[in-house]
Amino acid sequence: SYGNVDMRLQENKAVNLKIASSKITGIIIKPGETFSLWKLVGRCTAKKGYKEGLIVLNGTTGEEIGGGLCQLSNLILWMILHTDMKITEHFHHDQIDMFPDYKRVIPFGTGTSIMYNYLDYKFKNTSDITYQLIIYTNDEYLCGELRCDKRPNYKYHISAENVFFSKEDDGNVYRNGNVYIFKSLKNIDFV
């Protein structure tokens, strides 16, 4: 849950994530192919079972059919950041961060914003590896796996450094910091 967000919107988001995940899970991304979230998911409508969920638009929150799917694009982005694939379309949430800093695991600035037919999340497989996305929900979580047909050459680690807040001359408070992606040739353990 997010602070004082209506739990109905959170429960509806879980429904939306389950429907959208079923459109993506199992997709194969071969070398040279491009993944587009909206090409696979399509327009979210009540007729397709989507419900009103939380959205962020112009720095404020609201409700919309299919709301909450940014969590899906966030998960996929996080997995893709751990590969040699190239992100070709990516947008940030403007002026708002829905996730609390307390116990933050994913660095600020690694989220995505999506809006059907306007803001997509896309990446291109620029490697020589064929990948498969597995996305599903359970009673509590949105889950994901990124499978591949051969062992990648690198292991990735993502971190945020030099993070601080500053109050600027315009009176606004800004979050500052750097997000780094480190890759190494260390042995990679596969399950």
Side-chain angles (χ1 to χ4, degrees):
S1 64
Y2 301 125
N4 60 358
V5 172
D6 181 351
M7 280 308 294
R8 173 186 60 87
L9 297 177
Q10 290 298 90
E11 291 163 2
N12 288 351
K13 176 177 78 170
V15 170
N16 296 341
L17 289 169
K18 184 174 186 172
I19 295 168
S21 296
S22 72
K23 307 287 185 188
I24 294 174
T25 197
I27 191 78
I28 303 285
I29 306 104
K30 295 179 181 176
E33 292 184 338
T34 297
F35 170 94
S36 163
L37 186 136
W38 288 127
K39 184 176 180 184
L40 294 169
V41 172
R43 180 181 292 277
C44 300
T45 64
K47 187 175 181 179
K48 293 179 182 177
Y50 289 97
K51 299 182 177 286
E52 285 190 338
L54 185 69
I55 63 162
V56 176
L57 183 62
N58 298 324
T60 61
T61 59
E63 301 176 22
E64 188 172 288
I65 297 291
L69 293 186
C70 291
Q71 188 170 347
L72 176 62
S73 58
N74 288 343
L75 173 64
I76 297 169
L77 169 65
W78 185 248
M79 291 189 293
I80 299 310
L81 287 173
H82 290 84
T83 72
D84 276 341
M85 290 189 272
K86 181 180 179 184
I87 297 163
T88 58
E89 190 170 336
H90 171 233
F91 301 92
H92 293 282
H93 278 117
D94 224 8
Q95 306 169 346
I96 194 167
D97 181 15
M98 299 292 295
F99 303 101
D101 281 325
Y102 179 70
K103 294 186 178 181
R104 181 184 285 270
V105 178
I106 309 279
F108 178 81
T110 57
T112 62
S113 182
I114 55 174
M115 182 182 298
Y116 182 75
N117 210 26
Y118 180 63
L119 305 176
D120 200 354
Y121 173 70
K122 295 180 182 179
F123 63 87
K124 182 174 183 174
N125 186 349
T126 54
S127 75
D128 64 347
I129 298 172
T130 297
Y131 286 93
Q132 181 182 37
L133 273 175
I134 305 295
I135 309 286
Y136 59 95
T137 60
N138 61 29
D139 290 340
E140 194 172 352
Y141 296 106
L142 172 65
C143 306
E145 301 173 26
L146 187 60
R147 298 177 179 177
C148 51
D149 67 345
K150 61 182 172 179
R151 184 181 299 266
N153 294 322
Y154 299 99
K155 182 177 182 177
Y156 293 82
H157 177 73
I158 301 168
S159 68
E161 297 179 14
N162 308 315
V163 177
F164 65 94
F165 291 89
S166 63
K167 188 170 186 175
E168 301 298 327
D169 293 337
D170 62 6
N172 291 315
V173 176
Y174 295 92
R175 181 189 300 261
N176 302 270
N178 303 85
V179 174
Y180 295 101
I181 301 174
F182 302 97
K183 69 181 187 178
S184 65
L185 285 170
K186 286 186 171 182
N187 288 336
I188 301 171
D189 295 327
F190 281 79
V191 178

